[in-house]
């Protein structure tokens, strides 16, 4: 219950900061998240709502990275474990406690995809001046990789183009 209240507080703070940034002329561009050992940036225009991960119904005969489906505000959404989707290593196991700390972020309704990405933690909103360096993704990177940023502390953040990801055949094909 405390996790749910903490997530609700975080959502409220993020929404109010986003509203303040829009009205104050500050350019906020990304929602920063952590999935597995990696840091990702989701463009705000392509991101939807944030929810705690609860009541996922497992779907048989699916890819290991497809967690199942969940009811969010009366809509049925597929849940993709982002860390496992991105990883080409063997899938890491998760405990019930670690899953309880996860969140899901839906795609923007403009992308017309009832899907949510499960992430390990939320790191807040970021704007361009939060980063000291930016570089294009290396050749051979997935098509949905955008710019790779380095923050002022030296941590790397990979931008994920959710629109490109939402159209990728490998992402849409959940059958095993």
């Amino acid at each position: 219950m405390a996790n749910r209240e903490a997530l609700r507080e975080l959502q409220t703070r993020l929404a109010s900061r986003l509203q303040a940034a829009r009205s104050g002329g500050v350019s906020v561009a990304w929602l920063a998240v952590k999935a597995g050992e990696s840091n990702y940036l989701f463009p705000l225009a392509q991101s939807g709502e944030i929810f705690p991960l609860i009541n996922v119904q497992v779907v048989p005969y699916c890819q290991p990275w497809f967690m199942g489906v969940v009811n969010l505000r009366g809509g049925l959404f597929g849940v993709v474990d982002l860390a496992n989707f991105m990883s080409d290593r063997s899938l890491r196991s998760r405990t019930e406690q670690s899953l309880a700390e996860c969140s899901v972020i839906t795609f923007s309704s403009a992308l017309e995809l009832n899907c949510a990405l499960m992430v390990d933690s939320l790191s807040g909103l970021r704007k361009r001046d939060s980063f000291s360096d930016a570089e294009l993704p290396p050749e051979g990177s997935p098509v949905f990789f955008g710019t790779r940023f380095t923050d002022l502390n030296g941590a790397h953040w990979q931008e994920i183009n959710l629109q490109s990801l939402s159209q990728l055949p490998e992402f849409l094909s959940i059958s095993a």
Side-chain angles (χ1 to χ4, degrees):
M1 191 62 136
N3 284 341
R4 193 177 287 170
E5 290 175 16
L7 180 61
R8 199 168 289 133
E9 277 182 37
L10 177 63
Q11 288 175 319
T12 303
R13 283 195 320 265
L14 286 174
S16 64
R17 286 180 60 195
L18 179 58
Q19 182 62 30
R22 284 184 179 153
S23 62
V26 177
S27 170
V28 175
W30 300 282
L31 173 64
V33 301
K34 294 181 184 259
E37 302 296 318
S38 300
N39 300 318
Y40 297 105
L41 298 169
F42 297 159
L44 288 178
Q46 298 173 5
S47 304
E49 294 184 79
I50 302 167
F51 296 93
L53 179 68
I54 54 170
N55 300 326
V56 176
Q57 301 300 309
V58 177
V59 178
Y61 310 112
C62 289
Q63 295 288 344
W65 43 261
F66 188 77
M67 304 262 325
V69 294
V70 66
N71 181 341
L72 301 173
R73 293 194 196 267
L76 195 60
F77 288 77
V79 177
V80 172
D81 182 341
L82 182 62
N84 285 335
F85 179 78
M86 295 293 206
S87 175
D88 54 1
R89 294 172 278 147
S90 61
L91 299 176
R92 59 195 177 103
S93 60
R94 294 181 183 266
T95 63
E96 280 191 41
Q97 182 178 0
S98 69
L99 283 173
E101 296 170 0
C102 292
S103 299
V104 292
I105 300 163
T106 62
F107 285 65
S108 168
S109 59
L111 298 178
E112 298 179 342
L113 184 67
N114 282 9
C115 184
L117 298 173
M118 184 185 81
V119 299
D120 294 307
S121 64
L122 303 168
S123 298
L125 300 174
R126 298 288 192 277
K127 52 188 174 182
R128 178 60 183 99
D129 63 1
S130 301
F131 303 102
S132 62
D133 191 27
E135 58 188 46
L136 294 175
E139 186 145 342
S141 295
V143 297
F144 53 87
F145 272 19
T147 306
R148 181 178 171 150
F149 295 94
T150 303
D151 68 16
L152 303 174
N153 296 323
H156 297 290
W157 294 84
Q158 179 63 58
E159 181 182 30
I160 301 293
N161 184 319
L162 296 177
Q163 182 173 12
S164 294
L165 179 62
S166 72
Q167 297 169 359
L168 190 68
E170 295 84 16
F171 183 77
L172 298 172
S173 300
I174 62 168
S175 63

